[in-house]
Amino acid sequence: MTGPNMADPSILFTVEDKDGRLVVLTRRQWEEHILVGHPNMARHLEALKQTIAEPDYILQSDKRADTRLLYRLGVTEGQFSDLYVVAVVRYTAHKGFVRTAYLAFKPITRGEVIWVRTKC
């Protein structure tokens, strides 16, 4: 995982997903979309990174073939500790871009499950 990109301040973070593809979150997307629509995500930037890098499972979007929803449970604290962090990532041929992120009580039931973390 990498943090802020000092060479490009418009990039908030870049992190590898479970398949080794780079996923980018821009500062603009975070500040002007995610925090506006989902202000409870403000304290969960690290949880968002962890969700992308180590999801519990991944759904294929039922709306866009190039978009996946990555879910992770148990990476938030306090009143949000029993909620899923959801990262919605749109992929191009070379990398992914976080479109939105939010907290959810349960996963959506639409879309094909394309990967599930195996339990040990």
Side-chain angles (χ1 to χ4, degrees):
M1 280 188 259
T2 61
N5 185 339
M6 297 306 158
D8 186 349
S10 70
I11 304 293
L12 195 58
F13 71 69
T14 301
V15 62
E16 281 190 21
D17 70 8
K18 75 160 203 66
D19 295 322
R21 293 175 292 187
L22 292 179
V23 175
V24 175
L25 174 62
T26 64
R27 185 172 304 280
R28 181 176 184 180
Q29 195 69 14
W30 177 251
E31 293 174 354
E32 296 180 18
H33 178 76
I34 296 171
L35 293 182
V36 170
H38 312 284
N40 57 1
M41 284 298 297
R43 297 177 52 199
H44 303 297
L45 186 61
E46 288 302 315
L48 177 56
K49 285 186 201 179
Q50 189 174 358
T51 299
I52 295 165
E54 302 172 13
D56 288 333
Y57 62 94
I58 302 171
L59 288 179
Q60 176 65 50
S61 170
D62 65 335
K63 295 179 180 152
R64 292 188 59 109
D66 60 355
T67 301
R68 294 182 174 180
L69 290 81
L70 293 75
Y71 286 82
R72 176 87 188 212
L73 185 63
V75 289
T76 56
E77 298 177 359
Q79 68 182 15
F80 302 112
S81 64
D82 59 345
L83 299 180
Y84 287 92
V85 173
V86 184
V88 179
V89 179
R90 185 173 300 157
Y91 287 93
T92 66
H94 303 291
K95 65 174 76 169
F97 296 89
V98 178
R99 301 306 302 152
T100 194
Y102 55 91
L103 299 173
F105 288 106
K106 60 183 182 177
I108 62 169
T109 56
R110 299 177 318 274
E112 177 186 354
V113 176
I114 57 173
W115 183 83
V116 177
R117 177 188 302 275
T118 55
K119 303 287 182 189
C120 296

